[in-house]
Amino acid sequence: MESGLGKMIPTTKINNRRYLGNKFKLLPFITDVISKECTDFETFADIFAGTGAVSSAFTDKILYTNDILYSNYLCHLTWFSDEYFDISKIESYIDFFNSDIPYEENYMTVNFADTYFSKKNCSKIGFIREKIENEFHSGRINTRERAMLITSLLYGIDKIANTCGHYDAYRKGVELPESFTMRTPEPNSNLKHNHCYNKDTNELVREISADVVYIDPPYNSRQYCDAYHLIENIARWEKPEVFGIARKMDRTTLKSKYCTRSAPSAFEDLIKNIKANFIVVSYNNMAKKGDDRSNARISDVQILDTLRAKGSVKIFSEQFKAFTTGLSEHHDNEERLFVCKCS
């Protein structure tokens, strides 16, 4: 893409990010089932949206997206908000951020130098994130433009992070990259009046309604706020104290009950309060196949009993190889869609 600066500015797409449970490769399966089973719908709610991959397949509908992580919420604003943005302005900022910025000590260098990123890259990340916040509070960029620039930063550093795709730990004794490239998010066109939320899902469903509600909750005990704490820290930019070898912040308010033993009761409360014509639940078949942390927190029986109290249910499945933490391999991995036609 050529910017107003006369330069070719690299771009990025919604799927260009590593993320546990990302459904991008399963979109043909998911969209085929929904298009055949959920007829004549105009509104689509993706209430555990993650990166927004599934929502990206339904941009011809009015979207409701939600995620408890603020970093994902910013990505949703980037890809799905209908707020006006100036692409030339975005490209100008990104061109500047990709230039050689002088080293400075900041929150990132003090807390994360030579862990997930080199000291030089930490300096640049801290400078860029502070600059974006200052530009927003000065009124020079709007809410969506701020989200687009932060998303560009998060996608850029994800490419060079010293991790296996998540931030539970970093590798020691490796050579760290000394630079990274920010790219312009490719904007969606012809968007409808979408709604993006950053709320507890069980609270949100009491406030909204949609023709189709798609549910893709965490499957096991591995909390997303643990796996992506640094991404969330940079997105929020509240500069909290961090601790431990992994340099994690306090994540108490970001913990999901769907990763705990209370998941079945939380799921029952969720389904009971959903206002929709169709409910589509995506859930992995791990059951008791892995170590205890990897095992599913809600059984098939519990899913079916809960959904059948709401309406008639069909089940569809597709084999796939998931992006995982690399600790386990299961070749008979299946993603199932439970489609409930509400009574």
Side-chain angles (χ1 to χ4, degrees):
M1 178 183 293
E2 187 169 338
S3 73
L5 304 171
K7 295 183 178 181
M8 296 299 294
I9 303 295
T11 60
T12 190
K13 298 179 183 292
I14 193 170
N15 59 303
N16 293 337
R17 179 184 173 196
R18 298 174 294 177
Y19 199 77
L20 296 169
N22 191 326
K23 295 298 186 293
F24 188 79
K25 291 181 179 179
L26 282 168
L27 282 183
F29 164 61
I30 294 170
T31 55
D32 182 62
V33 170
I34 290 177
S35 64
K36 290 177 179 177
E37 299 296 322
C38 308
T39 54
D40 299 325
F41 65 97
E42 296 181 356
T43 54
F44 182 86
D46 186 359
I47 58 177
F48 293 88
T51 63
V54 172
S55 290
S56 72
F58 295 97
T59 53
D60 60 326
K61 312 297 182 183
I62 296 175
L63 294 175
Y64 294 80
T65 65
N66 179 64
D67 201 272
I68 195 170
L69 294 186
Y70 186 71
S71 49
N72 287 336
Y73 165 69
L74 291 177
C75 292
H76 303 161
L77 289 178
T78 294
W79 305 113
F80 308 124
S81 171
D82 61 357
E83 183 178 14
Y84 169 81
F85 66 93
D86 184 338
I87 191 65
S88 296
K89 184 194 297 183
I90 296 297
E91 291 170 346
S92 179
Y93 277 111
I94 290 177
D95 184 62
F96 169 61
F97 293 150
N98 283 335
S99 67
D100 189 15
I101 295 171
Y103 178 86
E104 66 170 28
E105 290 284 350
N106 54 41
Y107 174 77
M108 290 297 298
T109 60
V110 170
N111 291 288
F112 300 102
D114 298 324
T115 57
Y116 303 97
F117 307 104
S118 68
K119 190 171 185 179
K120 180 180 178 182
N121 274 336
C122 280
S123 171
K124 188 166 186 174
I125 294 166
F127 171 86
I128 292 170
R129 188 61 190 87
E130 188 72 14
K131 178 71 172 177
I132 294 171
E133 211 62 13
N134 290 339
E135 295 298 280
F136 175 68
H137 289 295
S138 299
R140 286 187 280 271
I141 55 176
N142 65 25
T143 300
R144 190 180 187 188
E145 290 165 343
R146 171 181 178 268
M148 291 177 75
L149 290 173
I150 297 171
T151 297
S152 175
L153 175 62
L154 299 182
Y155 273 54
I157 64 177
D158 178 64
K159 297 294 184 185
I160 54 97
N162 177 29
T163 70
C164 295
H166 57 91
Y167 295 80
D168 262 336
Y170 56 86
R171 296 168 294 180
K172 297 181 179 179
V174 299
E175 186 175 348
L176 301 176
E178 293 291 348
S179 65
F180 62 91
T181 301
M182 288 175 59
R183 298 171 179 268
T184 303
E186 290 191 3
N188 286 294
S189 58
N190 302 318
L191 290 174
K192 300 180 183 294
H193 184 56
N194 297 328
H195 309 267
C196 302
Y197 297 94
N198 175 217
K199 301 190 67 168
D200 177 276
T201 305
N202 286 54
E203 295 177 4
L204 177 66
V205 295
R206 288 166 162 83
E207 303 171 11
I208 67 169
S209 63
D211 296 330
V212 177
V213 173
Y214 175 78
I215 302 172
D216 183 19
Y219 303 147
N220 52 46
S221 69
R222 302 180 191 278
Q223 294 275 356
Y224 278 76
C225 62
D226 293 343
Y228 299 101
H229 64 93
L230 181 51
I231 293 296
E232 186 71 1
N233 191 346
I234 294 169
R236 289 177 177 272
W237 205 236
E238 296 165 348
K239 303 174 188 173
E241 180 183 359
V242 296
F243 48 88
I245 295 175
R247 314 303 292 153
K248 294 182 179 181
M249 61 185 182
D250 181 9
R251 304 167 310 287
T252 305
T253 60
L254 300 176
K255 298 288 186 180
S256 172
K257 46 188 168 292
Y258 290 89
C259 299
T260 70
R261 288 187 173 88
S262 65
S265 61
F267 182 73
E268 185 177 355
D269 174 76
L270 180 75
I271 299 301
K272 181 176 68 175
N273 288 289
I274 285 177
K275 297 176 283 292
N277 297 327
F278 297 93
I279 299 172
V280 181
V281 179
S282 183
Y283 212 71
N284 189 276
N285 71 334
M286 279 301 292
K288 300 295 182 183
K289 295 179 183 178
D291 59 74
D292 184 60
R293 288 193 68 196
S294 298
N295 290 335
R297 285 295 180 253
I298 310 174
S299 71
D300 285 6
V301 171
Q302 290 166 327
I303 293 173
L304 285 169
D305 285 349
T306 301
L307 289 176
R308 283 170 177 160
K310 196 81 171 180
S312 59
V313 183
K314 294 182 182 180
I315 306 173
F316 304 84
S317 64
E318 178 88 344
Q319 287 195 337
F320 79 110
K321 188 178 188 305
F323 169 58
T324 69
T325 59
L327 299 177
S328 59
E329 289 286 341
H330 298 282
H331 299 289
D332 58 343
N333 209 16
E334 279 188 337
E335 189 74 15
R336 283 86 46 76
L337 290 181
F338 298 80
V339 180
C340 174
K341 184 176 182 180
C342 300
S343 302

